[in-house]
Amino acid sequence: MDWNDYDAALFDLDGVLTPTAIVHMAAWDEMFNAFLSARGAAPYTPQDYFDHVDGKPRYDGVRDMLASRGIELPEGDPSDPADTDTVCGLGNRKNDAFNEVLERDGVTAYPGSVALVEALASRGVKMAVVSSSKNAPSVLEAAGIDRFFPVVVDGRVAGEDGLRGKPAPDTFLAAADRLGVTRERAVVLEDATSGVAAGRAGDFGLVVGVDRGAGETALVAAGADVVVTDLQEIVP
């Protein structure tokens, strides 16, 4: 690829810029083990993350994890305080745990991703983060790279503006619009097949798949034009 052909780069966050899954895993572990211990239930394990939580909306993960232990709680409401023993309350408790783990342990951006971001900044390429996470701004700040991204279209922005999530292209299109660039001159960088599909559906100039485990075949099938294992590979 030739970066001279593009004016903007639209980055997913988790798995592209930062290994945020590590923080999510620790937050689920701390929240669930405290809750399950108090109930005398079998402890939460790393395998539970993959079996019941990974890739799901937060409240769905709570519901499915509780079901695996035969525990039923009222659904509650998203406005429930974090100390409420409802599905939503536990989900909100996990979000608090995420922020605590992030503040305590921090998160380090992938070195290759930082190299690309710094190189693009020096070339004057506009950059945005497009993430389904509502914690994107705090993650960027913790990783020390927030200054590179004047535009962040995250889960909170999507909710407020009524934007459909990935694989719909809405959030990427909104980011390009806020940067003042056309889709044809923007590059989408994603590690998930749903995000790659969103970039293809938006008819962006180039869709880069970052293979952090999805596999090159799956990323290409979803619409990636280029697949790399590390963003260092496309540093200009």
Side-chain angles (χ1 to χ4, degrees):
M1 63 176 296
D2 185 349
W3 280 105
N4 291 319
D5 294 336
Y6 307 102
D7 301 320
L10 312 177
F11 292 85
D12 177 45
L13 178 60
D14 299 352
V16 173
L17 293 173
T18 58
T20 326
I22 296 171
V23 183
H24 284 291
M25 290 177 75
W28 282 115
D29 185 285
E30 293 187 10
M31 186 278 288
F32 268 131
N33 269 317
F35 175 81
L36 294 172
S37 176
R39 296 230 168 186
Y44 174 88
T45 69
Q47 189 59 45
D48 284 319
Y49 175 80
F50 296 105
D51 290 345
H52 308 298
V53 173
D54 187 28
K56 298 176 182 177
R58 194 189 317 151
Y59 300 140
D60 290 349
V62 170
R63 197 179 301 108
D64 291 350
M65 178 59 205
L66 292 177
S68 77
R69 298 297 191 271
I71 298 173
E72 291 186 12
L73 291 179
E75 186 69 17
D77 184 84
S79 63
D80 283 355
D83 59 357
T84 306
D85 283 349
T86 61
V87 169
C88 291
L90 284 188
N92 296 340
R93 198 177 307 174
K94 181 268 173 177
N95 193 57
D96 287 352
F98 177 91
N99 290 319
E100 290 169 4
V101 172
L102 185 64
E103 183 176 351
R104 183 188 70 217
D105 300 339
V107 64
T108 301
Y110 294 107
S113 300
V114 173
L116 176 60
V117 167
E118 291 177 340
L120 295 182
S122 70
R123 294 168 66 95
V125 175
K126 297 179 179 180
M127 291 181 282
V129 164
V130 180
S131 172
S132 59
S133 172
K134 294 182 179 180
N135 297 305
S138 57
V139 171
L140 290 168
E141 183 178 359
I145 55 175
D146 52 311
R147 66 188 184 280
F148 293 108
F149 302 101
V151 170
V152 176
V153 178
D154 63 359
R156 184 170 285 104
V157 172
E160 292 172 351
D161 293 358
L163 303 174
R164 294 176 298 167
K166 306 167 188 177
D170 301 29
T171 49
F172 281 114
L173 292 170
D177 184 62
R178 293 183 183 204
L179 287 177
V181 299
T182 64
R183 67 180 76 187
E184 295 83 6
R185 297 285 297 180
V187 178
V188 167
L189 302 102
E190 265 281 359
D191 71 312
T193 55
S194 59
V196 166
R200 177 54 52 229
D203 200 22
F204 286 90
L206 192 75
V207 180
V208 176
V210 186
D211 184 8
R212 305 286 192 195
E216 180 177 1
T217 300
L219 293 170
V220 170
D225 300 300
V226 176
V227 175
V228 299
T229 56
D230 192 285
L231 293 185
Q232 181 71 52
E233 298 172 44
I234 53 173
V235 173

